[in-house]
Amino acid sequence: MKASKMLLSTLKEAPQEAQIASHILLIRAGMIRKLVAGVYNYLPLGLKVLNKIEKIIREEMDNSGALEILSSAIQPKELWEESGRWNKYGPELFRFKDRHEREFCLGPTHEEIFTNLVRNEIKSYKSLPLNIYQIQTKYRDEVRPRFGLIRGREFIMKDAYSFDLDEKGLDESYQNMYHTYSKIFDRLHLNYKVVLADTGAIGGSESHQFMALSDIGESNIIYCNCGYAADEEKATCLDDIYKNDAQVENIEEVYTPNVKTISEVASYLNVLEKDIAKAVLYSYNGKPSMFLVRGDRDVNVVKVCNALNAAEHEVYLTTSDELNKYHLVEGFIGPIDCNIDIYVDSELANMKNVIVGGNKIDTHIKNVYLKRDVKNYTVIDLKDVKDGCLCPLCGKPLKSERGIEVGQLFKLKTKYSKAMKATILNEKGIEVPLVMGCYGIGVTRTMSAIIEQNHDENGIIWPLNVAPYHVVLIVINYDDEDQKSLADKMYETLKENKVEVILDERDAKPGFKFKDWDLIGIPLIVTIGRKANENIVEFKERRNNLKEEKNVDEVIDIILQKIKDEA
Ligand code: ATP
Ligand code: MG
């Protein structure tokens, strides 16, 4: 491709709203343009990269035995009512009506569609196992679309759904996808960790996420050198056995005038924050519940949602009106003589002599032992796990690291097949629900994650196999006969060898051209200048920026070898 014929739209500056490297560079390099918040158009260079990422995903999915289909983004309400998600999914779902007032949504994910498809197409266990996938546009009306392609309202996902006869089959399908995802992200040269994950709005039991490591990642990964790794929403830790063996003392009411927060109580009573129980109230359907953790811990909202069996958008911090209605006194709420549901973090359940709110103004209660003093409560894991907490597997201190979720695997089991009556006849002729898994990769988000891990102050550094082009030939002066003839010859030779090459014959200052290609991130850069008459050119790899003068034939050999090694 000749540079003068390309739609090159590099910019010196990105708009203010672009805060992270990938967002800034995708815009500055002329790869994407914003249409409205969270919705982008892909320009030729950006689309080339996207196509290459998709190609790698497609190759590995096909290798795994999965079959590609393409379904519509438009999904009828009726299928979502069958699964029970029409009301559950909340404001992230783009909903609309057609001219006949029939309701639809734009698919944020496709469990309903694929379950429906398979229940209509497959009747016998002999067709199993089956894994079908698509690479398709998804829609989610995110509260905070941001970071360019990392969190869009329209984005491209590879979603796959496996169907098996039993859980053993699902285990194999899941493992197959786990390995396939590892191969995909290895081929995309991402530095990633696989972590245990919560199942969120998709549902099901077991789940793993693939996290590209990056400081700008929105996920917090909790991990240990022993191999334990989990998303913070899912992470657990060993309970601290603080005050488990203490002598239980008599319960005692203490006057704490206007002393409300954990730190205020700790300093007023001259105790540690961890001597106090922190009560956080969340409501669901107008009904508050109490969540108790040790005073130095935080309550994990995802664990709250799981306890209430509610979606995250359905749960909120209890309002003042609701507190009044249930006679709860803000700042002094505790589990004793309280008329709402109580959930207690496992760590607190065994602790002796805890300080809790007294459920009346300016009052706390000392020396509480929940097992002795509170009648009804449920013990669960509620606490937020942070670095320094103890690993649930080996007991050593956990560490944390930020990651970009590029993919997730779920064992759905029979959640959708039972709800939607997707059954099959087994070997004995008995009708059983299909056992399902689902597997997503954020294709456009992955494109951003690659940039987050591969850039410098001058621009993007694409790995060779996803770069929009392999090589650029920068001609210093295309009016010079020697330079022109060498450049043209090299261009033709590379093209004949299926190298994706750009010839930059533009009439522009060399510095301007160098800047453009460094920004766009072309991996191999050849400069053809004064020594063209000696067949000598300058060769540079974008990744290390080392420039070397070499003979043209040698440079061609290096380029071909590098492309061969990548394949
Ligand atoms: P997140 O927690 O980041 O909102 P999710 O867990 O809701 O994502 P999934 O339902 O697991 O997302 O979707 C599969 C994949 O699609 C994710 O792993 C992610 O890579 C990608 N993805 C999800 N939401 C977006 C989005 N708004 N923009 C771009 N990619 C997304
Ligand atoms: Mg996810």
Side-chain angles (χ1 to χ4, degrees):
M1 178 57 93
K2 299 215 165 127
S4 61
K5 301 277 182 291
M6 292 171 76
L7 182 58
L8 290 174
S9 328
T10 52
L11 302 173
K12 278 217 169 71
E13 307 265 344
Q16 271 250 293
E17 65 184 27
Q19 299 161 357
I20 59 163
S22 58
H23 190 184
I24 294 170
L25 293 174
L26 279 166
I27 290 179
R28 285 196 52 216
M31 301 221 167
I32 60 167
R33 288 290 179 260
K34 183 173 115 175
L35 185 60
V36 290
V39 180
Y40 290 89
N41 292 327
Y42 295 81
L43 301 187
L45 290 172
L47 184 61
K48 274 195 176 292
V49 176
L50 193 58
N51 286 339
K52 289 192 173 183
I53 296 173
E54 288 186 3
K55 182 168 176 276
I56 289 174
I57 295 175
R58 205 168 256 126
E59 279 170 10
E60 293 303 334
M61 288 302 294
D62 291 348
N63 271 341
S64 80
L67 304 171
E68 184 172 4
I69 66 154
L70 182 60
S71 75
S72 170
I74 298 179
Q75 306 191 2
K77 173 187 174 185
E78 292 76 21
L79 287 180
W80 282 69
E81 282 182 325
E82 274 192 58
S83 72
R85 284 209 293 185
W86 186 255
N87 294 326
K88 203 81 183 161
Y89 211 92
E92 242 181 50
L93 197 61
F94 276 106
R95 301 161 202 254
F96 66 98
K97 286 183 188 162
D98 71 6
R99 64 176 76 204
H100 309 293
E101 293 289 304
R102 191 171 165 199
E103 290 184 82
F104 296 87
C105 67
L106 291 176
T109 173
H110 275 67
E111 283 74 18
E112 285 79 0
I113 300 299
F114 278 63
T115 308
N116 176 54
L117 193 108
V118 169
R119 78 178 165 185
N120 293 335
E121 300 303 322
I122 286 174
K123 298 285 168 249
S124 157
Y125 71 94
K126 288 181 188 151
S127 312
L128 303 179
L130 176 69
N131 187 336
I132 39 181
Y133 79 98
Q134 62 179 348
I135 296 179
Q136 187 252 16
T137 307
K138 296 278 183 278
Y139 296 87
R140 294 185 185 181
D141 197 358
E142 297 274 356
V143 198
R144 229 170 288 112
R146 61 178 196 152
F147 289 173
L149 304 185
I150 297 239
R151 188 166 297 282
R153 296 198 295 166
E154 178 186 78
F155 59 97
I156 297 175
M157 196 202 284
K158 185 289 299 171
D159 47 332
Y161 304 83
S162 69
F163 300 84
D164 280 279
L165 186 58
D166 50 29
E167 287 201 16
K168 191 169 156 281
L170 169 61
D171 288 346
E172 279 166 27
S173 297
Y174 191 91
Q175 275 309 316
N176 185 8
M177 279 299 104
Y178 191 118
H179 290 307
T180 302
Y181 274 37
S182 305
K183 279 195 213 151
I184 290 170
F185 293 118
D186 285 345
R187 283 185 66 187
L188 292 172
H189 301 279
L190 280 175
N191 177 16
Y192 64 91
K193 269 199 167 81
V194 189
V195 309
L196 292 168
D198 189 72
T199 49
I202 308 274
S205 54
E206 199 180 327
S207 180
H208 286 88
Q209 283 167 339
F210 281 68
M211 298 282 197
L213 303 181
S214 163
D215 287 344
I216 64 94
E218 295 177 291
S219 306
N220 201 19
I221 302 165
I222 305 289
Y223 72 99
C224 176
N225 291 345
C226 78
Y228 178 78
D231 183 76
E232 74 178 333
E233 296 178 340
K234 181 74 180 175
T236 58
C237 64
L238 290 185
D239 286 340
D240 191 354
I241 48 170
Y242 179 64
K243 282 196 173 174
N244 281 13
D245 297 330
Q247 185 65 37
V248 197
E249 291 175 34
N250 288 335
I251 195 165
E252 186 187 324
E253 219 175 79
V254 282
Y255 179 53
T256 50
N258 210 21
V259 175
K260 293 182 178 177
T261 64
I262 294 291
S263 68
E264 285 166 3
V265 176
S267 61
Y268 187 80
L269 296 178
N270 197 19
V271 294
L272 299 173
E273 293 198 349
K274 64 179 180 180
D275 291 316
I276 308 162
K278 182 188 280 180
V280 184
L281 270 72
Y282 282 98
S283 294
Y284 171 43
N285 283 337
K287 185 173 168 254
S289 300
M290 184 186 304
F291 296 86
L292 285 176
V293 291
R294 214 171 66 174
D296 59 335
R297 306 279 197 196
D298 289 314
V299 172
N300 180 310
V301 185
V302 173
K303 293 177 183 174
V304 167
C305 294
N306 289 341
L308 298 175
N309 197 15
E312 226 171 309
H313 68 93
E314 296 173 315
V315 169
Y316 53 93
L317 284 169
T318 300
T319 62
S320 303
D321 283 351
E322 287 166 350
L323 289 181
N324 291 338
K325 190 169 154 202
Y326 286 83
H327 310 291
L328 296 159
V329 193
E330 201 166 353
F332 303 96
I333 297 168
I336 296 178
D337 295 331
C338 175
N339 57 353
I340 59 173
D341 289 345
I342 302 171
Y343 295 86
V344 175
D345 182 57
S346 49
E347 188 170 63
L348 204 61
N350 295 315
M351 197 172 140
K352 313 268 170 57
N353 305 329
V354 186
I355 298 164
V356 304
N359 284 330
K360 55 183 173 186
I361 189 85
D362 295 342
T363 309
H364 278 83
I365 301 175
K366 269 171 50 174
N367 302 333
V368 172
Y369 179 37
L370 291 164
K371 285 189 179 159
R372 179 192 63 184
D373 303 322
V374 180
K375 276 196 208 79
N376 287 320
Y377 59 91
T378 311
V379 178
I380 54 171
D381 170 42
L382 263 182
K383 57 193 162 299
D384 242 350
V385 177
K386 306 215 162 89
D387 42 344
C389 291
L390 302 182
C391 173
L393 298 186
C394 76
K396 297 223 174 75
L398 291 162
K399 297 179 211 167
S400 73
E401 190 167 22
R402 304 220 55 98
I404 302 168
E405 183 199 320
V406 284
Q408 184 160 11
L409 318 174
F410 300 84
K411 282 190 184 170
L412 300 171
K413 295 192 177 170
T414 53
K415 178 179 155 137
Y416 291 88
S417 53
K418 272 191 180 151
M420 296 181 67
K421 302 193 180 55
T423 58
I424 199 156
L425 295 178
N426 69 11
E427 283 155 310
K428 294 177 189 144
I430 298 167
E431 201 175 340
V432 291
L434 284 158
V435 183
M436 292 173 57
C438 77
Y439 317 92
I441 289 181
V443 182
T444 38
R445 183 183 284 186
T446 296
M447 183 163 158
S448 286
I450 295 172
I451 299 176
E452 287 301 328
Q453 293 188 357
N454 296 278
H455 70 270
D456 63 14
E457 65 282 5
N458 298 322
I460 306 170
I461 308 173
W462 291 112
L464 199 55
N465 61 347
V466 294
Y469 290 86
H470 299 131
V471 190
V472 56
L473 309 179
I474 301 176
V475 194
I476 300 291
N477 179 6
Y478 201 63
D479 289 335
D480 177 284
E481 258 321 302
D482 289 333
Q483 294 186 27
K484 179 178 185 313
S485 110
L486 185 66
D488 287 350
K489 209 170 115 215
M490 202 176 172
Y491 179 59
E492 291 306 325
T493 310
L494 289 172
K495 276 205 307 188
E496 276 161 25
N497 283 283
K498 304 236 161 5
V499 176
E500 296 166 21
V501 53
I502 302 162
L503 176 66
D504 190 352
E505 33 42 305
R506 291 176 297 171
D507 181 17
K509 290 220 166 71
F512 175 88
K513 296 187 187 181
F514 292 135
K515 274 209 177 94
D516 257 4
W517 301 116
D518 276 356
L519 176 60
I520 291 166
I522 303 299
L524 306 173
I525 299 165
V526 179
T527 308
I528 298 159
R530 258 180 299 142
K531 292 197 181 164
N533 58 351
E534 301 166 50
N535 273 346
I536 293 197
V537 297
E538 195 182 78
F539 177 71
K540 179 179 106 165
E541 278 189 62
R542 175 70 182 87
R543 192 166 290 281
N544 59 27
N545 271 327
L546 286 181
K547 291 176 190 161
E548 268 184 292
E549 286 193 346
K550 286 184 191 296
N551 178 279
V552 173
D553 294 332
E554 194 191 338
V555 169
I556 291 176
D557 285 347
I558 296 174
I559 292 170
L560 295 181
Q561 190 58 46
K562 285 199 180 289
I563 293 170
K564 202 169 147 207
D565 291 347
E566 240 335 297

